[in-house]
Amino acid sequence: MDDQQFLAWIREKGFNLTKAQWRAVVHGKGPLLLLAVPGAGKTTVLILRLAYLVFVKHIEPETILCLTFGRAAAKEMKERFIKHFGQKMNGNIHFSTIHSYAFEVVRAAYGQQRQGYQIIENQVGTESKTGVLRRLHEQINHSTLTNESLEELQNAICYVKNAMITPEKMENVSIKNFVTLYKDYEKFKLMHQPQLLDYDDMLSIAYTTLIKDPQLLAIYQKRFNYILTDESQDTSLIQHKIIELIAQPNSNLFVVGDDDQSIFGFRASEPRYLLEFNKVYEPAEILRLERNFRSTPEIVTISRDFIRLNQMRYDKEMVTENTTGDTVQVKIFNNDKEQYEFIRRELKDNAQLSKSAVLYRNNLSVIALADELERGGVAFYIRDSAKERFFNHWVVSDILNFLRFSFSDKSDKSVAILEKIRTKVKLPISKTQIDYLNSLRIERSIFDLLSEQLDGKSQKLDYLALKEQFYNLNKLPPGDAIRYIRNELGYNKVIERICKDLGFSKEHLTIMLNLLETIADRESTILKFAKRLNHLEEKINTSFHNKGTNAVTLSTIHSAKGLEWEKVYVVDLIQGIIPDYGAVEKVESNKTEEIEEERRLFYVAMTRAEKHLTLCTMKKYQMQTAIVSQFVKEVQLLLKGKNPRELKLVNPWGEGLVVIHQTFGEGVIKKVQNNFLIILFKSGSERMLMKDICEKQKLLKVK
């Protein structure tokens, strides 16, 4: 069939294309970059482009390769194509992720060399990837690798390979001895028999093989005459390089993406490659899909003007022909508790919960949110509930063990609990003392038994005082009990020491403790608090059962990418969460890449909404003073028709801010001069402190 017959055929199937969409579908040979704004129907264009190549240009399906970022996207695209065109086609188009395609190259290369290998992600126990990394960390750093640090380590290893850099050039890694860990991990895989490969090795080995083996490269170049890629803004440098190799010499490459939606920098996604598309593929055609079919004019206009504050991007005139709707709402609450209560009230009587979503930056935000919704009888589905480790975190276990121990210090079980928390209390309790207690039949207070083993009177009194503290702890309401553990029993200082020694984030652990207090303050007894935690954990872990039912979706912004809802609430929009303080700091050194990704993340959140968008911020977060997100302020100015370009990025240490210094106590920032903070303390002294030192050593916090 010709172009007009094809157009009539797809119209019969319900596809009504804009001029820009049609122009992309019927593109001829050579490289094309298709920039698609949110809600522009890019997937529709992709599957119609595939159909056009097969039914109009008579390209053999087996010579067409369609690459996507993730397995789910590849499966969905394949299913949509087969649904509309599969019955009319002889042969199969190859739908694949880039990792799967690279694996094909690796299999071919290792097959030629008759070399065996195993995938380390498929191993179990101590030979698994996590098992190996934990063991190496123990050997090198002499400490246990926590789940959070394990995730950071895996992300860092992934980044090095995807960004095509050496481990020495990896920045902002808090993992101690990362370079040594990386090299020992690579050495372990190489020396193992058979050799072990991880998923990111697929990419690096595939790229190296194609570069070094011209004959194998020629086979893959001849295999596919047309290559289409989706979500190309999420593609890493090494993935781009692999595609660049196999697309030669004809470069019949159809690249679909949106540089404004590149939000996976931590995975080494490389949006700059799209910005230099014309240099890599010369000459190349660049088309734009600028009509948004998803959102109201109010949401489209604010989102478009907001993202235009970024500099490193292709400009796009995002427009819509949808009917007008509600103004974008900005809600400023006194604290996070008020924010979550507002969300619960908004959703409580909503008969179409499944058309609503609450989005947030960090996974921890879902704990207090889910607690509020569950208490209010609002059904919810958490998109990434499997990633939630809050209830199994060692900080939560510590607090619960403190509370359990407060019930009794006169049993064998209490010795086992004390062994778990002995390094988390003021007084040192040695392993020898624990062994001594384990040798006894415990019928009296553990602290009485320990004090009898000591010669010094002061030490005896210290242990008896600790006994009294645990007795007092058991009499307190649960919220006060947690605060007692943190302050009177010295747990906060222990946390500071652990963070300093092991590189953990004090801010992250403090938020976890504050969350526990928030939940505990709503319960009357310690027993009810423990039961509430168990109940909430079960509700969160089983929320996936609510998928597809009338339940509100709770999701991180990253996980929500590509999705849409009629009503969207974006919560916890404060400085330090979004944008991240680290990104703000780098702007002062004229490094704007990170702040622009932060703005893209905010933009992705905004453009998930079809008809109603509510942005939620607050004056206090986790019982501390909060600063309204810079991005919220920019949206507010845009809503008033003002230009936010002159609005300076808010540094966390602003003049007039009340702060607490670890040594000097409470004070007020009087002046900020480059890297110096001039602070007037309550004691009357005025000091000039270096901002970077205070931040690095976490000497200051906002009151």
Side-chain angles (χ1 to χ4, degrees), residues 265-389:
F266 61 91
R267 294 182 190 162
S269 62
E270 188 52 271
R272 283 179 296 183
Y273 200 89
L274 296 185
L275 298 176
E276 297 174 355
F277 192 80
N278 257 324
K279 296 178 182 178
V280 178
Y281 301 98
E282 188 181 0
E285 186 174 2
I286 298 178
L287 295 178
R288 290 168 169 80
L289 297 182
E290 297 176 313
R291 181 177 169 186
N292 179 300
F293 292 90
R294 174 186 299 159
S295 306
T296 62
E298 289 79 5
I299 295 171
V300 165
T301 301
I302 291 296
S303 302
R304 177 194 65 210
D305 294 345
F306 172 78
I307 198 60
R308 278 178 168 168
L309 296 172
N310 272 0
Q311 300 297 314
M312 296 181 296
R313 61 183 294 271
Y314 288 105
D315 192 32
K316 307 168 198 72
E317 187 61 37
M318 183 166 65
V319 296
T320 187
E321 295 181 10
N322 292 340
T323 56
T324 58
D326 296 336
T327 302
V328 173
Q329 297 292 308
V330 175
K331 298 288 186 181
I332 303 177
F333 301 97
N334 287 319
N335 51 51
D336 44 340
K337 182 175 181 289
E338 283 189 10
Q339 172 192 244
Y340 296 136
E341 287 173 348
F342 164 78
I343 297 294
R344 187 247 306 151
R345 289 194 303 271
E346 285 278 297
L347 298 171
K348 176 65 176 173
D349 299 318
N350 190 334
Q352 296 181 309
L353 274 178
S354 59
K355 294 185 178 181
S356 298
V358 184
L359 308 182
Y360 38 85
R361 171 68 178 272
N362 299 322
N363 273 310
L364 273 180
S365 292
V366 82
I367 304 299
L369 178 59
D371 184 49
E372 183 67 38
L373 295 181
E374 201 278 333
R375 290 177 190 271
V378 179
F380 57 84
Y381 156 62
I382 303 176
R383 273 189 55 78
D384 29 24
S385 60
K387 296 181 180 179
E388 187 45 61
R389 303 189 185 99

Side-chain angles (χ1 to χ4, degrees), residues 69-253:
F69 183 68
R71 290 181 183 178
K75 181 182 177 183
E76 180 188 356
M77 193 172 297
K78 181 177 181 179
E79 289 174 350
R80 284 187 64 178
F81 180 80
I82 291 174
K83 175 184 175 182
H84 292 289
F85 304 106
Q87 68 279 10
K88 297 283 187 180
M89 191 176 68
N90 294 319
N92 295 304
I93 292 171
H94 191 69
F95 293 88
S96 173
T97 64
I98 300 176
H99 273 90
S100 295
Y101 180 82
F103 190 21
E104 288 187 33
V105 178
V106 171
R107 283 202 301 263
Y110 276 59
Q112 284 182 353
Q113 300 164 14
R114 296 187 177 180
Q115 182 177 345
Y117 63 88
Q118 290 179 345
I119 309 302
I120 194 170
E121 280 88 354
N122 294 339
Q123 305 301 303
V124 295
T126 57
E127 295 297 298
S128 67
K129 184 174 183 177
T130 58
V132 170
L133 291 175
R134 287 186 189 280
R135 185 168 67 252
L136 290 174
H137 187 276
E138 181 77 35
Q139 292 170 358
I140 294 167
N141 292 328
H142 309 292
S143 62
T144 303
L145 189 63
T146 65
N147 288 332
E148 291 82 3
S149 297
L150 173 63
E151 186 173 352
E152 182 184 359
L153 177 58
Q154 289 177 316
N155 285 339
I157 292 170
C158 169
Y159 189 97
V160 166
K161 294 178 182 179
N162 278 268
M164 303 177 76
I165 61 174
T166 61
E168 289 83 0
K169 292 185 178 179
M170 187 67 189
E171 298 179 354
N172 303 323
V173 183
S174 65
I175 303 294
K176 189 177 178 182
N177 295 315
F178 168 70
V179 174
T180 304
L181 268 168
Y182 180 94
K183 290 181 177 179
D184 282 8
Y185 170 63
E186 293 302 305
K187 188 185 299 181
F188 174 83
K189 290 185 297 175
L190 187 63
M191 300 302 292
H192 190 276
Q193 291 298 324
Q195 181 181 347
L196 293 170
L197 308 177
D198 63 28
Y199 291 145
D200 295 307
D201 289 330
M202 304 300 176
L203 300 171
S204 52
I205 293 172
Y207 177 73
T208 303
T209 300
L210 293 173
I211 288 287
K212 292 183 177 180
D213 190 340
Q215 291 182 326
L216 188 63
L217 175 59
I219 291 172
Y220 280 95
Q221 287 175 336
K222 291 176 182 177
R223 182 179 172 188
F224 297 110
N225 295 324
Y226 287 83
I227 300 173
L228 298 86
T229 69
D230 189 21
E231 301 287 3
S232 296
Q233 75 280 347
D234 297 331
T235 305
S236 68
L237 180 61
I238 196 167
Q239 292 169 341
H240 280 299
K241 290 291 187 181
I242 291 171
I243 294 168
E244 186 181 334
L245 282 172
I246 62 175
Q248 296 174 6
N250 297 322
S251 293
N252 288 326
L253 185 62

Side-chain angles (χ1 to χ4, degrees), residues 282-536:
E282 188 181 0
E285 186 174 2
I286 298 178
L287 295 178
R288 290 168 169 80
L289 297 182
E290 297 176 313
R291 181 177 169 186
N292 179 300
F293 292 90
R294 174 186 299 159
S295 306
T296 62
E298 289 79 5
I299 295 171
V300 165
T301 301
I302 291 296
S303 302
R304 177 194 65 210
D305 294 345
F306 172 78
I307 198 60
R308 278 178 168 168
L309 296 172
N310 272 0
Q311 300 297 314
M312 296 181 296
R313 61 183 294 271
Y314 288 105
D315 192 32
K316 307 168 198 72
E317 187 61 37
M318 183 166 65
V319 296
T320 187
E321 295 181 10
N322 292 340
T323 56
T324 58
D326 296 336
T327 302
V328 173
Q329 297 292 308
V330 175
K331 298 288 186 181
I332 303 177
F333 301 97
N334 287 319
N335 51 51
D336 44 340
K337 182 175 181 289
E338 283 189 10
Q339 172 192 244
Y340 296 136
E341 287 173 348
F342 164 78
I343 297 294
R344 187 247 306 151
R345 289 194 303 271
E346 285 278 297
L347 298 171
K348 176 65 176 173
D349 299 318
N350 190 334
Q352 296 181 309
L353 274 178
S354 59
K355 294 185 178 181
S356 298
V358 184
L359 308 182
Y360 38 85
R361 171 68 178 272
N362 299 322
N363 273 310
L364 273 180
S365 292
V366 82
I367 304 299
L369 178 59
D371 184 49
E372 183 67 38
L373 295 181
E374 201 278 333
R375 290 177 190 271
V378 179
F380 57 84
Y381 156 62
I382 303 176
R383 273 189 55 78
D384 29 24
S385 60
K387 296 181 180 179
E388 187 45 61
R389 303 189 185 99
F390 174 81
F391 300 97
N392 297 319
H393 196 279
W394 57 269
V395 164
V396 177
S397 297
D398 279 352
I399 295 298
L400 290 176
N401 280 328
F402 271 105
L403 296 175
R404 289 187 187 107
F405 188 78
S406 74
F407 279 92
S408 173
D409 63 353
K410 300 176 182 178
S411 70
D412 294 339
K413 286 184 179 179
S414 58
V415 178
I417 297 173
L418 181 63
E419 186 171 11
K420 293 178 181 178
I421 62 173
R422 66 185 179 86
T423 60
K424 310 291 176 65
V425 294
K426 288 179 182 178
L427 295 181
I429 299 173
S430 68
K431 184 68 169 65
T432 302
Q433 288 173 304
I434 294 294
D435 290 341
Y436 164 70
L437 292 172
N438 280 324
S439 70
L440 303 176
R441 181 177 178 181
I442 307 298
E443 295 177 335
R444 293 193 293 141
S445 167
I446 286 173
F447 296 113
D448 289 340
L449 294 169
L450 289 176
S451 66
E452 291 167 3
Q453 296 299 304
L454 301 170
D455 295 328
K457 184 176 180 181
S458 62
Q459 282 189 303
K460 288 183 179 181
L461 292 175
D462 286 340
Y463 276 102
L464 294 177
L466 191 57
K467 172 186 175 182
E468 184 69 16
Q469 284 181 313
F470 273 102
Y471 176 81
N472 293 334
L473 172 62
N474 188 247
K475 305 302 179 185
L476 294 172
D480 291 340
I482 295 174
R483 286 182 279 275
Y484 191 88
I485 293 167
R486 297 177 68 176
N487 300 312
E488 300 303 319
L489 293 178
Y491 190 70
N492 278 344
K493 290 186 177 179
V494 171
I495 288 292
E496 288 178 11
R497 172 175 55 79
I498 291 174
C499 290
K500 185 177 180 180
D501 293 345
L502 301 180
F504 295 159
S505 167
K506 182 182 173 184
E507 181 184 13
H508 180 77
L509 300 184
T510 300
I511 289 175
M512 296 189 73
L513 288 164
N514 291 342
L515 277 171
L516 284 173
E517 285 185 25
T518 299
I519 297 170
D521 280 332
R522 305 182 75 165
E523 303 298 335
S524 58
T525 67
I526 290 175
L527 186 58
K528 286 183 178 179
F529 166 63
K531 287 183 177 179
R532 179 63 192 169
L533 281 185
N534 287 335
H535 179 70
L536 188 58

